[in-house]
């Protein structure tokens, strides 16, 4: 009979070294080459209490900070266009900018546009116009509200997202062409956690490539991490934070801090 | 030869020419008719061709979608409640090539592609698309792009209070009550149990409505953004629908492949953001090779917790005692009888075993 278990801590450490991260997934992953996993945790704050940074994309770039010095310099020097500034430049109404700000949204797809946003004192003029056009097209006001975005101008609909995507694509192409490797990416969940799985052992940079707006600042992470075969998601997460995160729970565990800059002033027209 | 015979021969020949000439001439003209260009046959005229089945994979059926389909169809608002393709193409789409099949027999098989009753006096059609027919297209859906589009900007206002609807409320409380768009836009809770897979449920285990989330079943989940302007738009069917290559497997069932069939998404303790467990979905640019890649650590946080919730460890221990033990807490027997993945042993802080090594 095989002995039932090995519960001693020493045995567990041996296990960690022995087992491939096929262990991470319920589906068996080929264990021919041992692979690793990063459990990324992003927690930010502008005070004592930090919280997870939700729904933000992070990229995994093969190589060290020294290998990518030019890229890192480029990333840190880039001029960002803030969300509010983008929409102002597109001639968005104050009501639309306020709607986006109120809901922490980068685009109109972020959450449902409610009835109060198309009628009454909280109405957003762009939404009202889109609903009117939809009603004419579909002959149904409720459907016109639900399908509101199909009648919004493209700059207001997805322009901010697409402008950021263009810049991201350029950076990713640059990295992939130089290194002949694919850049992996994941998005953080509601708690600011994300997993990079099935990674070849080696040195990597975790970066968000485009600075993220946090309060009145922008944050850019370029964090070097070493993946060893057998690094597993069950281990302690790779915690990154911003300079404002003074949460005592995180203080000793933060592995990397973002470069923070004040958001640029936007001088543009408002309708 | 005698003169009489010669004269007789000449008469016979003349008579023959007189009688047969017109017939030969007619034959010649009918031969000309035969070489006239004829309508192109879309399918080889083999008796094996089953005209009761329409396939988009047929080469002649691969023209632009709008050649045959109307978008939207005139009945769509009534049938679906939104503009959509809710009906079959008209007769013109078929007749141009299949006139012959349209008039074959009292009940031409080709009619049953669309019509539930084959009769010139009845134009009743099946629901579109034909409910029982196999799917013919692979659907392309980049989860990563859609996750990005619904991204939020982060605003942290710690300890701030502000006036909301005549009451003081914390910003955090407001954030908790706001419902942002997430995976549930397309994967809403089910209102009814999923239909049984072909061959029935394994072990007779019937999942209830809370077990699985729903999947988009029609264009309603797409056209609300992609009706026009936002590519791919309604006319660009190929932006989402792709004919499969032989290597592809079309996701044709309403029930995806499950590893842990007994996991219920709707159970109170399991309600959380989808990406908390489906860790690779936000980097998936296609539906192909999509795997149910939930890490065992997502389960073990609760199901490997002493003293009362050691389900993973307990079932591994059961294998120690009986090597053909079937793990049933999460799995049906098709999965439960397999070797537990090494991750399960890791979570239980044990060395992995093979069933065959257990005496």
């Amino acid at each position: 009979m095989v002995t039932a278990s090995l519960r001693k801590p020493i045995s567990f450490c041996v296990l960690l070294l022995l087992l491939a991260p096929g262990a991470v997934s319920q589906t068996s992953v080929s264990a021919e080459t041992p692979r690793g996993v990063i459990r990324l945790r992003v927690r930010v704050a502008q005070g004592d209490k930090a919280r997870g940074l939700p729904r933000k994309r992070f990229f995994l770039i093969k190589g060290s900070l020294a290998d990518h010095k030019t890229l890192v310099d480029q990333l840190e020097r880039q001029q960002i266009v803030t969300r509010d500034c983008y929409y102002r430049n597109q001639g968005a109404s104050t009501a639309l900018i306020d709607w986006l700000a109120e809901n922490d949204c980068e685009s109109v797809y972020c959450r449902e546009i409610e009835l109060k946003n198309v009628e009454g004192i909280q109405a957003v003029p762009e939404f009202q116009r889109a609903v009117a056009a939809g009603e004419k097209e579909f002959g149904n006001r409720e459907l016109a509200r639900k399908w509101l975005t199909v009648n919004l101008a493209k700059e207001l609909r997805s322009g901010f997202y697409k402008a950021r995507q263009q810049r991201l694509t350029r950076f990713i192409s640059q990295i992939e062409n130089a290194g002949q490797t694919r850049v992996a990416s994941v998005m953080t969940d509601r708690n600011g956690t994300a997993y990079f799985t099935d990674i070849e052992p080696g040195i990597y940079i975790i970066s968000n490539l485009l600075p993220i707006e946090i309060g009145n600042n922008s944050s850019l992470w370029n964090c070097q991490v070493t993946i060893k075969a057998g690094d597993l998601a069950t281990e302690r997460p790779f915690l990154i934070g911003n300079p404002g995160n003074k949460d005592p729970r995180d203080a000793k565990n933060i592995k990397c801090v973002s470069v923070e800059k004040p958001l640029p002033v936007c001088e543009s027209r408002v309708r | 030869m005698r003169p009489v015979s010669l004269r007789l021969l000449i008469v016979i020949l003349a008579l023959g020419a007189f009688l047969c000439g017109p017939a030969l001439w007619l034959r010649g003209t009918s031969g000309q008719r035969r070489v006239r260009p004829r309508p192109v046959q879309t399918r080889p005229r083999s008796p094996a061709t089953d005209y009761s089945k329409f396939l988009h994979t047929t080469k002649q059926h691969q023209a632009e979608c709008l050649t045959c389909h109307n978008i939207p169809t005139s009945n769509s608002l009534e049938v679906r409640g939104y503009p959509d393709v809710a009906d079959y193409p008209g007769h013109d789409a078929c007749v141009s090539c299949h006139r012959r099949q349209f008039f074959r027999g009292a009940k031409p098989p080709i009619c049953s592609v669309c019509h539930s009753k084959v009769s010139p006096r009845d134009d009743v059609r099946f629901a579109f698309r034909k409910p029982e027919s196999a799917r013919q297209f692979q659907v392309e859906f980049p989860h990563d792009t859609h996750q990005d589009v619904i991204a939020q900007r982060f605003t942290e206002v710690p300890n701030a209070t502000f006036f909301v609807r005549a009451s003081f409320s914390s910003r955090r409380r407001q954030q908790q009550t706001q419902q942002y768009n997430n995976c549930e836009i397309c994967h809403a809770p089910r209102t009814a149990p999923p239909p049984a897979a072909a061959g029935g449920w394994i072990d007779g285990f019937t999942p209830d409505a809370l077990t699985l989330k729903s999947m988009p079943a029609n264009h309603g989940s797409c056209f609300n953004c992609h009706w026009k302007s936002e590519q791919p738009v309604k006319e660009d069917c190929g932006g989402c629908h792709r004919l499969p290559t032989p290597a592809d497997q079309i996701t044709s069932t309403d029930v995806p492949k499950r590893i842990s069939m007994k996991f219920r998404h709707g159970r109170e303790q399991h309600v959380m953001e989808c990406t908390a467990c489906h860790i690779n979905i936000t980097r998936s640019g296609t539906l192909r090779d999509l795997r149910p890649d939930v890490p065992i650590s997502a389960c073990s946080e609760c199901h490997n917790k002493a003293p009362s919730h050691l389900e993973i460890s307990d079932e591994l221990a059961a294998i120690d005692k009986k090597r053909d033990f079937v793990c049933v807490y999460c799995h049906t027997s098709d999965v439960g009888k397999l070797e537990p993945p090494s991750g399960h042993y890791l979570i239980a802080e044990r060395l992995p075993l093979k069933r065959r090594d257990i005496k």
Side-chain angles (χ1 to χ4, degrees):
Chain A
M1 191 78 178
V2 175
T3 50
S5 69
L6 299 166
R7 294 179 186 273
K8 291 173 187 172
I10 297 169
S11 307
F12 185 55
C13 293
V14 174
L15 275 170
L16 282 177
L17 291 170
L18 288 174
L19 292 175
V24 168
S25 175
Q26 289 186 45
T27 50
S28 54
V29 175
S30 166
E32 284 174 6
T33 322
R35 317 282 281 185
V37 173
I38 300 172
R39 183 181 179 186
L40 176 68
R41 196 87 200 276
V42 191
R43 282 172 56 83
V44 295
Q46 293 167 293
D48 291 341
K49 282 189 177 178
R51 72 176 173 107
L53 181 69
R55 294 190 179 189
K56 292 295 169 199
R57 194 162 282 278
F58 284 81
F59 299 85
L60 190 68
I61 304 160
K62 180 128 199 192
S64 66
L65 286 170
D67 296 338
H68 292 285
K69 189 174 182 319
T70 316
L71 171 75
V72 172
D73 288 346
Q74 261 181 305
L75 295 175
E76 288 183 357
R77 277 201 312 271
Q78 65 183 307
Q79 295 294 313
I80 72 157
V81 177
T82 63
R83 178 196 63 188
D84 289 0
C85 198
Y86 170 84
Y87 283 98
R88 284 202 176 103
N89 285 336
Q90 298 302 329
S93 67
T94 308
L96 175 58
I97 292 168
D98 288 349
W99 182 87
L100 291 163
E102 183 193 344
N103 297 294
D104 294 339
C105 288
E106 288 186 357
S107 79
V108 293
Y109 295 112
C110 162
R111 68 185 307 247
E112 189 183 355
I113 297 163
E114 297 168 79
L115 194 60
K116 67 180 181 184
N117 305 128
V118 295
E119 289 171 3
I121 53 167
Q122 290 186 56
V124 175
E126 287 88 343
F127 295 166
Q128 286 181 308
R129 284 195 290 274
V131 168
E135 198 174 357
K136 202 172 168 184
E137 184 177 353
F138 309 129
N140 180 325
R141 188 165 176 81
E142 182 56 14
L143 181 65
R145 184 178 68 82
K146 286 185 174 167
W147 286 28
L148 187 152
T149 60
V150 304
N151 282 303
L152 272 180
K154 69 175 179 184
E155 293 79 14
L156 301 182
R157 197 177 57 226
S158 53
F160 183 61
Y161 161 77
K162 283 181 178 160
R164 286 175 68 87
Q165 283 300 310
Q166 275 180 1
R167 290 168 60 201
L168 274 176
T169 307
R170 274 203 301 273
F171 281 129
I172 291 169
S173 301
Q174 180 185 331
I175 299 161
E176 291 187 337
N177 291 340
Q180 301 293 311
T181 55
R182 278 190 65 90
V183 173
S185 82
V186 285
M187 184 178 259
T188 53
D189 65 13
R190 186 182 292 173
N191 301 316
T193 301
Y195 293 83
F196 288 105
T197 59
D198 201 21
I199 310 165
E200 193 182 313
I203 298 172
Y204 292 86
I205 300 171
I206 294 175
S207 174
N208 51 325
L209 297 180
L210 301 184
I212 292 167
E213 294 177 43
I214 296 174
N216 294 320
N217 297 309
S218 71
S219 272
L220 177 72
W221 282 272
N222 287 305
C223 306
Q224 186 170 304
V225 57
T226 303
I227 303 300
K228 290 172 281 187
D231 274 348
L232 293 167
T234 45
E235 284 190 306
R236 196 172 289 177
F238 185 77
L239 180 64
I240 64 178
N242 67 336
N245 183 353
K246 307 291 180 199
D247 193 319
R249 288 176 301 171
D250 296 341
K252 289 179 184 170
N253 300 322
I254 291 179
K255 306 275 197 327
C256 176
V257 176
S258 63
V259 174
E260 207 166 69
K261 289 179 183 173
L263 291 178
V265 177
C266 180
E267 292 171 4
S268 54
R269 62 199 169 96
V270 180
R271 253 200 306 232
Chain B
M1 189 176 277
R2 291 185 359 207
V4 175
S5 302
L6 183 64
R7 247 182 264 130
L8 184 62
L9 183 64
I10 292 166
V11 168
I12 288 169
L13 285 172
L15 192 63
F18 177 74
L19 291 173
C20 300
L24 288 169
W25 179 80
L26 279 173
R27 188 167 180 263
T29 52
S30 66
Q32 280 169 8
R33 265 191 213 123
R34 211 173 276 159
V35 295
R36 272 186 196 166
R38 299 163 71 198
V40 177
Q41 293 293 319
T42 55
R43 309 275 306 229
R45 294 176 63 197
S46 146
T49 304
D50 181 359
Y51 287 102
S52 68
K53 290 188 173 61
F54 178 88
L55 295 173
H56 285 94
T57 45
T58 302
K59 195 180 172 189
Q60 289 84 352
H61 294 168
Q62 291 178 22
E64 285 296 311
C65 308
L66 296 181
T67 311
C68 300
H69 290 283
N70 288 330
I71 308 173
T73 50
S74 57
N75 67 336
S76 63
L77 279 175
E78 187 190 335
V79 175
R80 303 265 205 268
Y82 57 88
D84 192 16
V85 187
D87 204 354
Y88 297 88
H91 284 146
D92 290 352
C94 317
V95 168
S96 56
C97 296
H98 290 289
R99 180 173 293 277
R100 192 182 292 262
Q101 283 77 37
F102 262 66
F103 299 102
R104 179 171 291 170
K107 294 194 171 183
I110 198 168
C111 301
S112 61
V113 170
C114 309
H115 292 277
S116 50
K117 284 185 182 172
V118 179
S119 161
R121 285 182 295 277
D122 204 334
D123 67 349
V124 179
R125 296 182 290 281
F126 293 107
F128 184 83
R129 55 175 289 277
K130 209 172 181 176
E132 70 274 17
S133 64
R135 291 184 190 277
Q136 298 186 26
F137 289 97
Q138 184 73 263
V139 174
E140 293 293 317
F141 180 84
H143 275 99
D144 56 353
T145 304
H146 288 82
Q147 288 279 343
D148 282 347
V149 167
I150 58 175
Q152 282 175 254
R153 180 184 184 274
F154 183 86
T155 307
E156 178 70 356
V157 190
N159 308 321
T161 53
F162 55 96
F163 209 59
V164 177
R165 288 187 188 166
S167 66
F168 280 98
S169 164
S170 75
R171 175 76 181 203
R172 183 157 299 176
R173 188 181 301 163
Q174 190 202 21
Q175 283 172 341
Q176 283 168 352
T177 58
Q178 282 178 339
Q179 292 297 310
Y180 290 95
N181 285 338
N182 58 21
C183 310
E184 284 204 347
I185 305 173
C186 295
H187 301 288
R190 281 180 179 273
T191 52
W201 297 110
I202 295 168
D203 304 343
F205 174 78
T206 309
D208 64 7
L210 295 179
T211 302
L212 295 161
K213 296 283 183 178
S214 66
M215 293 193 295
N218 52 46
H219 289 134
S221 308
C222 316
F223 282 165
N224 57 344
C225 296
H226 292 283
W227 179 245
K228 59 182 186 184
S229 316
E230 198 64 59
Q231 294 292 339
V233 294
K234 62 181 185 295
E235 293 89 359
D236 180 15
C237 309
C240 301
H241 299 279
R242 194 174 56 81
L243 281 171
T245 61
D248 285 338
Q249 280 191 325
I250 300 179
T251 314
S252 58
T253 63
D254 197 29
V255 182
K257 186 184 174 192
R258 291 290 301 278
I259 303 293
S260 303
M261 193 63 198
K262 294 180 182 173
F263 175 85
R264 295 167 79 226
H265 283 86
R267 185 182 172 181
E268 189 185 352
Q269 295 89 337
H270 294 164
V271 176
M272 55 183 78
E273 198 170 58
C274 308
T275 51
C277 297
H278 294 283
I279 58 174
N280 284 325
I281 202 76
T282 62
R283 70 174 189 183
S284 174
T286 170
L287 289 182
R288 276 164 285 145
D289 302 325
L290 209 56
R291 293 184 302 181
D293 44 6
V294 174
I296 186 66
S297 56
C299 314
S300 65
E301 254 178 59
C302 297
H303 292 288
N304 203 46
K305 219 171 211 178
S308 56
H309 281 285
L310 284 165
E311 288 83 9
I312 299 171
S313 293
D314 287 350
E315 292 209 325
L316 293 176
I319 295 174
D320 293 341
K321 292 176 188 153
K322 189 181 173 198
R323 68 174 168 188
D324 55 357
F325 175 82
V326 178
C327 299
V328 292
Y329 187 78
C330 307
H331 310 289
T332 42
S333 63
D334 55 325
V335 176
K337 69 185 178 191
L338 303 176
E339 295 287 359
S342 53
H344 285 45
Y345 285 101
L346 178 76
I347 289 297
E349 301 179 21
R350 302 183 41 181
L351 280 170
L353 301 174
K354 295 283 178 201
R355 287 177 190 262
R356 65 170 179 270
D357 297 332
I358 297 169
K359 290 173 186 169

